[in-house]
């Protein structure tokens, strides 16, 4: 749907120096880089100050919740496209409980991410269902698949015949490098995004923009969905180029070996602006083994430190009236 009733005649420059309180529309000059040093108070991962207390009390990732509200608004479908979504849902007999997996391969592999087998995704799907089965009777284990690799849709039924698998008709083919920039490619990826965000749990890779968008959107479907997405590579949700995500040290730590990071109480540690890919793994943020990888902004040094010795620094900004 249209974002507002404003016209392009109302557009003003994105540069904060040229903006006034009366501006109805601001223009993003570029998608890459220019916001890194911008004083714009509304840039991610800042949250509205008037919502901050409640968000920090009741949500595990307040910035993701706020971004999710914006993304959900941006993707509000036209009536004819809403009908397309509903038709696809009827064809798939989409219903919950269901787990989503998003498998991003093609040009991503050996360039920005490593290859992950279907078994790696399904390990976490099965863990989710096994845990849920302990307190409720699940008659059927359902999985919704979104991928740019058509071989997944033939591999899955052979290896996991006891699962009810569904996917958007033609999505794997239109997501190929030849078709993804076509109108059909755009349509199917948005439909994939919708159904992934409707799942109860999603396994994907944060190196994929789609995976991170799913994490944002799923926050709008549940009270707190901060633990409802599992990434096989980076454990940290991030927004490419625009992040101001820091951890703040709450305990001192002296490096004990090469590769560790010394921190002092109050230090800011950048865990997202640097995503290291070394052909075997992605290093960014919490490594899920008790350690976190980051850069100490005070010293400029990078390395590992005990995860419990730092907490999220959540930026609160007065974003004006939006009620």
């Amino acid at each position: 749907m249209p974002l507002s009733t404003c016209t392009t005649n109302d557009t003003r420059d994105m540069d904060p120096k040229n903006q006034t309180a009366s501006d109805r529309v601001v223009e993003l000059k570029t998608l890459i880089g220019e916001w890194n040093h911008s004083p714009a108070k509304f840039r991610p991962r800042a949250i509205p100050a008037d919502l901050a207390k409640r968000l920090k009390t009741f949500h595990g990732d307040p910035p993701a919740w706020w971004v999710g509200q914006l993304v959900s608004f941006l993707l509000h479908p036209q009536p004819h496209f809403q009908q397309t979504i509903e038709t696809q849902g009827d064809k798939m007999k989409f219903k919950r409980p269901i787990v989503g997996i998003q498998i991003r391969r093609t040009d991503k592999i050996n360039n920005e991410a490593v290859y992950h087998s279907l078994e790696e995704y399904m390990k976490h799907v099965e863990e989710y269902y096994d845990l849920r089965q302990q307190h409720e009777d699940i008659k059927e284990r359902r999985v919704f698949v979104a991928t740019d690799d058509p071989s997944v849709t033939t591999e899955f039924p052979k290896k996991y015949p006891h699962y009810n698998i569904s996917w958007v008709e033609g999505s794997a083919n239109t997501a190929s490098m030849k078709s993804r920039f076509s109108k059909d490619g755009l349509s199917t990826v948005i439909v994939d995004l919708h159904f992934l965000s409707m799942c109860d749990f999603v396994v994907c890779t944060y190196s994929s923009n789609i995976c991170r968008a799913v994490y944002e959107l799923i926050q709008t479907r549940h009270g707190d969905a901060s633990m409802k997405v599992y990434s096989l590579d980076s454990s940290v949700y991030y927004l490419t180029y625009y992040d101001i995500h820091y951890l703040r040290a709450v305990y001192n730590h002296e490096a004990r070996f090469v590769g560790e990071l010394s921190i002092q109480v109050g230090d800011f540690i950048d865990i997202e602006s640097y995503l290291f890919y070394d052909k075997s793994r992605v290093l960014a943020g919490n490594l899920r083994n008790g350690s976190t990888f980051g850069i100490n902004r005070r010293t400029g040094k990078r390395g590992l430190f005990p995860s419990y010795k730092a907490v999220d620094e959540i930026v609160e900004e007065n974003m004006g009236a939006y009620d």
Side-chain angles (χ1 to χ4, degrees), residues 53-104:
K53 182 178 179 180
R54 281 173 289 173
L55 279 175
K56 290 194 289 187
T57 300
F58 296 109
H59 200 280
D61 193 351
W65 181 90
W66 177 239
V67 173
Q69 304 305 312
L70 301 177
V71 173
S72 180
F73 175 74
L74 292 171
L75 293 181
H76 190 63
Q78 294 271 10
H80 71 274
F81 194 66
Q82 180 62 39
Q83 184 60 53
T84 297
I85 292 173
E86 292 174 3
T87 299
Q88 285 289 352
D90 291 341
K91 284 183 179 180
M92 294 186 294
K93 298 180 179 178
F94 187 93
K95 61 180 180 178
R96 299 169 60 189
I98 189 168
V99 175
I101 61 174
Q102 187 248 337
I103 302 177
R104 176 76 162 88

Side-chain angles (χ1 to χ4, degrees), residues 115-129:
Y115 178 93
H116 293 284
S117 67
L118 179 59
E119 287 80 2
E120 291 178 79
Y121 290 88
M122 289 303 295
K123 172 181 180 289
H124 300 284
V125 174
E126 296 194 308
E127 285 179 353
Y128 173 83
Y129 274 119

Side-chain angles (χ1 to χ4, degrees), residues 215-271:
Y215 180 70
E216 294 159 0
L217 285 172
I218 205 171
Q219 307 305 323
T220 68
R221 320 292 195 202
H222 305 270
D224 180 0
S226 57
M227 301 297 289
K228 291 187 178 294
V229 174
Y230 186 90
S231 168
L232 293 181
D233 48 24
S234 171
S235 64
V236 177
Y237 156 73
Y238 60 95
L239 289 93
T240 307
Y241 301 111
Y242 299 152
D243 255 335
I244 49 174
H245 185 182
Y246 298 113
L247 296 182
R248 177 171 45 83
V250 292
Y251 292 100
N252 293 329
H253 181 72
E254 284 296 324
R256 299 163 295 178
F257 51 81
V258 174
E260 265 208 331
L261 184 67
S262 293
I263 57 176
Q264 296 178 6
V265 172
D267 281 349
F268 288 106
I269 307 157
D270 186 348
I271 62 167

